[in-house]
Amino acid sequence: SIQRRSNRLPCASRDRNVLAVMDMKGFDPEEVSVKVKDRKVQVLAEHEEAHTSARGREYNYKNVRKEISLPPGVREDEVTYSVGSNRIMKIETAHKHCPCLMR
C-alpha cells in the first residue's frame, strides 16, 4: 500500500533524518514514484523522449529502480520524500536516531 505521507514535500523539516539522497536529474518530479511497503522504500523513475532527427524518429528511455530497507525502529508511516528544484531527492524519517543508508 502507498503511504499517504510518502508524498513530495515542499521542503524538509530539520527534525527529520535522511535515509537516502538520490540524484534524479533527467526526471520530472511526476515521473518519480515512491512506495513504502513491507519495510522497504521502493523508488521507481521512468523517462522517455522522442524527437525527429536527420536519421528519422529517435527515442531516449531511462529508468531508475532502487529499494532501501528501513532501519530497525523506523515505521513505514514515518517515511517521507521530497524532490527539490535541483532534482535531488531526499528520503527522510521523523525517527531521531536513524543512521543514513546511502548518499
Side-chain angles (χ1 to χ4, degrees):
S1 67
I2 300 173
Q3 297 295 324
R4 200 53 173 146
R5 292 188 58 199
S6 294
N7 289 328
R8 289 176 200 91
L9 299 175
C11 63
S13 64
R14 293 183 181 171
D15 62 343
R16 297 196 175 274
N17 289 308
V18 177
L19 292 170
V21 176
M22 299 174 68
D23 185 350
M24 302 308 286
K25 288 184 178 99
F27 297 97
D28 292 328
E30 60 272 0
E31 295 174 322
V32 178
S33 95
V34 177
K35 295 180 184 179
V36 183
K37 182 178 178 184
D38 299 328
R39 302 219 24 90
K40 295 183 188 290
V41 179
Q42 301 166 339
V43 178
L44 176 62
E46 295 182 285
H47 179 77
E48 187 174 341
E49 291 179 8
H51 60 277
T52 304
S53 71
R55 295 181 287 182
R57 194 108 172 117
E58 294 183 2
Y59 296 90
N60 294 324
Y61 175 81
K62 64 179 170 178
N63 72 348
V64 171
R65 185 178 300 243
K66 300 275 184 188
E67 189 170 85
I68 303 162
S69 295
L70 292 178
V74 175
R75 294 190 333 246
E76 291 181 4
D77 64 349
E78 294 176 327
V79 177
T80 60
Y81 75 96
S82 61
V83 179
S85 59
N86 59 0
R87 301 291 195 253
I88 300 297
M89 180 194 321
K90 287 184 183 179
I91 300 173
E92 301 172 294
T93 178
H95 192 67
K96 300 270 187 207
H97 302 287
C98 176
C100 284
L101 297 179
M102 68 184 335
R103 286 195 182 254

